[in-house]
Amino acid sequence: MTHLIAKSARLRSTPYTKRIEEYGVQSYTVYNHMLLPASFKGIEEDSRHLKNNVQLWDVSGERQVQIHGPDAAKLTQLITCRDLSEAKDYLCYYAPIVDNNGKIINDPLIMKVGEKTWWLSIADTDVLLYAKGIAIGMNLDVEITEPNVNILAVQGPKSFELMSRVFKDIDKLKFFNFKRFDFQNHKFLIARSGWSKQGGFEIYVDHDEIGLNLYDTLMSKGEDLNVRPGCPNLIERIEGGLLSFGNDMNMNDTPLECGLGSFVSFNPKIDYLGKAELEKQHKEGVKRSLVGLKLKLDKIEITKALPLKIGADIIGELRAACFSPDFGCCLGIAMVQTQYQSLEKKQTLLVDGEEVESVMTNLPFNK
Ligand code: THG
């Protein structure tokens, strides 16, 4: 049975909602209190299309938390465990936001977009409230807002060809760099980034009307490239090991447990909340961590974490999974106690009580 979601002002639409509904969006999820498309022609067909063509994604739900003012750099550093002391104003930084216990609050891309202005392009939790709380508590001189920015992502192997038809010199933009590019006399911040492993761009649209013209232009100029509206794809992102906060990771996990150690700084010159706890965990070693699971099943659908056991022992939980046509099995992302991690070995796991032949592996998955 299909269930409808009742829309309201609280469940925010985006400037492109009308367009994607005309193009036949099939299902939505909710992300930062906003509609985020989840499928158009079914996730298997969407994934196949993404890997071979180009898609235009309405990822407005990836909201920007803007931190502006004399203490902007200080506050931004205080809430993330990544070292931003040398942050460049043309690079994107994947940077976990952590709390005072070193647990993850969110995993945004952070960009220094002005001398005293930072954007946190957030996953699905209320970072604005967390940042405000810290700023008020510490008496920091900042303004924290959510600007009207609605990202259009252009993803897929043909995204480079499509974008060069619309933006001059876009082909010179390197991975995880951003720069402003002109369209209809408006400068749009564009980054070479996106939540797929197929390559592409993200356009930070801060003008609704020109943004819609841009949407239509990309759709019409991409006709011969088989452009379609699309969205972050469950199969493609699990295959590629792109982590989803709220699914694979939650506020009880630390970045070290989630394989994000390379984004945790122990530089004595910087200070952030939760640093001492992360230092302690780093020294002692983690007791559990995220692993990949190859499961001998021909379908799986997960709407909440499922317990994983070996015999009578609880070893962890399966947090996300899908059937992957390319791997010919189901792939899962699981939090598993390190003492039970035996990689690349066939074993029978109990997934929510059901026996499943499985192989544990590092992320991202290798075929
Ligand atoms: N783009 C933008 N905002 C976002 C996302 C995005 N906000 C929410 C969510 N996605 C944040 N999470 C991620 C997770 C992974 C990546 C980006 C955002 C990512 N990772 C690369 C990888 O794993 O290959 C590279 C990471 C690195 O090496 O720095 O792209 O997608 N605007």
Side-chain angles (χ1 to χ4, degrees):
M1 184 185 165
T2 314
H3 301 268
L4 297 178
I5 187 161
K7 291 194 205 158
S8 72
R10 254 188 305 110
L11 202 184
R12 300 178 287 179
S13 297
T14 85
Y16 323 110
T17 300
K18 244 182 113 171
R19 289 290 192 280
I20 65 173
E21 294 192 347
E22 280 161 10
Y23 281 112
V25 62
Q26 191 179 56
S27 63
Y28 282 118
T29 183
V30 177
Y31 203 79
N32 287 315
H33 318 277
M34 204 168 219
L35 294 171
L36 177 69
S39 69
F40 282 82
K41 291 178 188 260
I43 58 171
E44 284 193 19
E45 165 56 22
D46 291 353
S47 157
R48 210 172 3 253
H49 179 267
L50 171 63
K51 289 174 186 175
N52 292 298
N53 302 278
V54 49
Q55 295 183 347
L56 191 49
W57 294 4
D58 171 4
V59 281
S60 303
E62 296 170 351
R63 304 308 292 162
Q64 305 310 299
V65 173
Q66 173 169 301
I67 303 181
H68 173 76
D71 289 332
K74 186 173 173 188
L75 175 60
T76 306
Q77 182 62 79
L78 211 49
I79 60 175
T80 173
C81 55
R82 183 155 181 188
D83 184 352
L84 294 177
S85 58
E86 306 280 327
K88 307 280 185 261
D89 60 4
Y90 56 88
L91 284 180
C92 307
Y93 296 89
Y94 179 54
I97 304 287
V98 291
D99 71 9
N100 56 323
N101 294 313
K103 308 231 171 175
I104 311 178
I105 296 276
N106 197 289
D107 69 330
L109 286 184
I110 298 185
M111 295 179 294
K112 184 180 182 186
V113 294
E115 202 33 61
K116 291 181 182 148
T117 312
W118 296 70
W119 279 2
L120 280 53
S121 185
I122 62 171
D124 182 28
T125 60
D126 296 309
V127 171
L128 184 142
L129 300 180
Y130 180 61
K132 273 200 180 190
I134 305 292
I136 294 166
M138 297 190 66
N139 212 9
L140 298 176
D141 189 359
V142 287
E143 264 174 49
I144 304 170
T145 53
E146 188 191 279
N148 181 32
V149 171
N150 300 285
I151 300 179
L152 273 181
V154 184
Q155 300 285 300
K158 295 183 182 164
S159 60
F160 301 91
E161 171 61 26
L162 176 55
M163 287 292 279
S164 353
R165 293 178 185 180
V166 180
F167 295 101
K168 196 170 167 284
D169 289 336
I170 196 83
D171 52 315
K172 301 199 174 77
L173 192 66
K174 295 200 183 95
F175 183 67
F176 261 44
N177 280 38
F178 69 86
K179 211 179 143 179
R180 287 175 177 76
F181 292 85
D182 196 75
F183 176 77
Q184 296 186 349
N185 294 320
H186 187 81
K187 292 250 181 258
F188 288 101
L189 192 159
I190 302 182
R192 199 163 131 209
S193 58
W195 212 60
S196 86
K197 288 285 190 184
Q198 307 309 312
F201 301 85
E202 293 184 298
I203 311 167
Y204 290 73
V205 178
D206 58 355
H207 192 299
D208 289 1
E209 196 185 325
I210 305 180
L212 276 177
N213 294 343
L214 177 57
Y215 189 100
D216 295 338
T217 301
L218 287 164
M219 287 304 284
S220 70
K221 294 220 174 191
E223 233 171 285
D224 62 315
L225 303 173
N226 198 16
V227 67
R228 278 194 204 160
C231 51
N233 182 274
L234 181 71
I235 301 170
E236 197 273 345
R237 78 97 182 158
I238 290 181
E239 289 172 345
L242 282 169
L243 298 182
S244 169
F245 191 78
N247 291 312
D248 322 341
M249 314 182 272
N250 62 55
M251 291 195 199
N252 285 313
D253 304 329
T254 71
L256 301 175
E257 292 168 334
C258 295
L260 302 177
S262 57
F263 307 109
V264 178
S265 171
F266 298 119
N267 179 352
K269 289 195 198 125
I270 67 154
D271 199 22
Y272 58 84
L273 294 166
K275 190 181 182 192
E277 286 67 17
L278 288 176
E279 269 167 346
K280 183 165 177 275
Q281 189 177 53
H282 177 64
K283 220 156 69 202
E284 291 172 357
V286 295
K287 296 193 173 61
R288 50 180 208 147
S289 65
L290 287 183
V291 297
L293 285 183
K294 290 180 180 168
L295 303 164
K296 204 170 165 194
L297 288 172
D298 53 20
K299 68 169 195 233
I300 192 163
E301 217 181 280
I302 290 197
T303 52
K304 62 178 166 58
L306 301 178
L308 286 175
K309 287 185 175 180
I310 297 177
D313 297 354
I314 296 175
I315 67 158
E317 58 183 25
L318 181 62
R319 293 183 169 178
C322 67
F323 178 75
S324 161
D326 284 0
F327 283 76
C329 65
C330 286
L331 301 178
I333 296 176
M335 182 60 83
V336 174
Q337 293 176 50
T338 44
Q339 66 177 117
Y340 291 105
Q341 289 181 13
S342 41
L343 301 181
E344 307 305 334
K345 191 187 106 190
K346 262 193 199 162
Q347 59 186 347
T348 302
L349 297 183
L350 288 166
V351 182
D352 201 20
E354 299 284 327
E355 285 189 0
V356 183
E357 204 178 294
S358 317
V359 175
M360 260 180 226
T361 176
N362 282 321
L363 291 168
F365 290 99
N366 284 315
K367 258 191 220 142

